[in-house]
Amino acid sequence: MMKTLLFRSFVGICFGALVMVLTCFGVIAFGGSLDSGIFVKNAIGCILCGWFFSTATLFFENEKWSLLSQTILHFLTVSILYFLLSFFVGWIPFSLKGLAIGIGIFIPFYMIIWTIFYLYFRFQMKILNDGLDKRRN
């Protein structure tokens, strides 16, 4: 479990850093400038966001829990951490309207990404089961 946690931490941190670098390229490409303080704050935010989104997937490793329980725990964990981080970094304005807009964007994206991963792993399971059936026959 610790090896998996460390690997997912590394991947998440790298992905968060990649998102930040690509965002900076986009800002610069469209004529924007980067203040060093804002850059550092956003870089740390992206890295932390990548880290907790990647490590929170460990909930789905616990086979004792139902998929519904795993999804609820994952959703609560990432949404609470994401909104706290977003308010601190300034990605979402700290207001009721900002929170409502943030939730209105976050939930559909979460549902789309969750569905894509669900369908992907379901397809992988079908391939594995078909392979086992062929070996038995």
Side-chain angles (χ1 to χ4, degrees):
M1 181 65 109
M2 185 56 75
K3 188 176 178 180
T4 303
L5 176 67
L6 290 174
F7 177 75
R8 289 193 187 168
S9 294
F10 177 75
V11 170
I13 289 168
C14 290
F15 185 76
L18 175 65
V19 167
M20 184 59 196
V21 168
L22 294 176
T23 302
C24 288
F25 286 162
V27 167
I28 293 167
F30 288 104
S33 62
L34 296 173
D35 174 76
S36 61
I38 293 172
F39 172 80
V40 170
K41 189 186 234 186
N42 281 284
I44 291 170
C46 284
I47 289 169
L48 286 174
C49 200
W51 174 73
F52 66 70
F53 268 96
S54 65
T55 56
T57 59
L58 288 172
F59 286 123
F60 295 105
E61 301 286 323
N62 190 336
E63 296 176 9
K64 296 177 185 174
W65 298 342
S66 68
L67 182 58
L68 179 61
S69 297
Q70 294 168 338
T71 302
I72 289 170
L73 284 170
H74 181 265
F75 177 79
L76 290 174
T77 301
V78 297
S79 60
I80 290 168
L81 290 172
Y82 175 75
F83 283 104
L84 288 173
L85 181 65
S86 294
F87 290 139
F88 176 74
V89 173
W91 295 336
I92 298 175
F94 190 70
S95 66
L96 194 55
K97 182 180 178 184
L99 178 62
I101 292 170
I103 290 171
I105 294 170
F106 184 85
I107 290 176
F109 270 96
Y110 185 91
M111 291 170 59
I112 290 166
I113 293 168
W114 185 92
T115 302
I116 289 168
F117 274 101
Y118 174 78
L119 293 173
Y120 170 77
F121 285 113
R122 194 169 125 197
F123 179 72
Q124 292 298 315
M125 185 175 62
K126 183 179 177 348
I127 290 172
L128 289 171
N129 286 334
D130 289 347
L132 286 173
D133 288 344
K134 286 180 184 176
R135 289 180 80 190
R136 288 185 196 143
N137 293 332

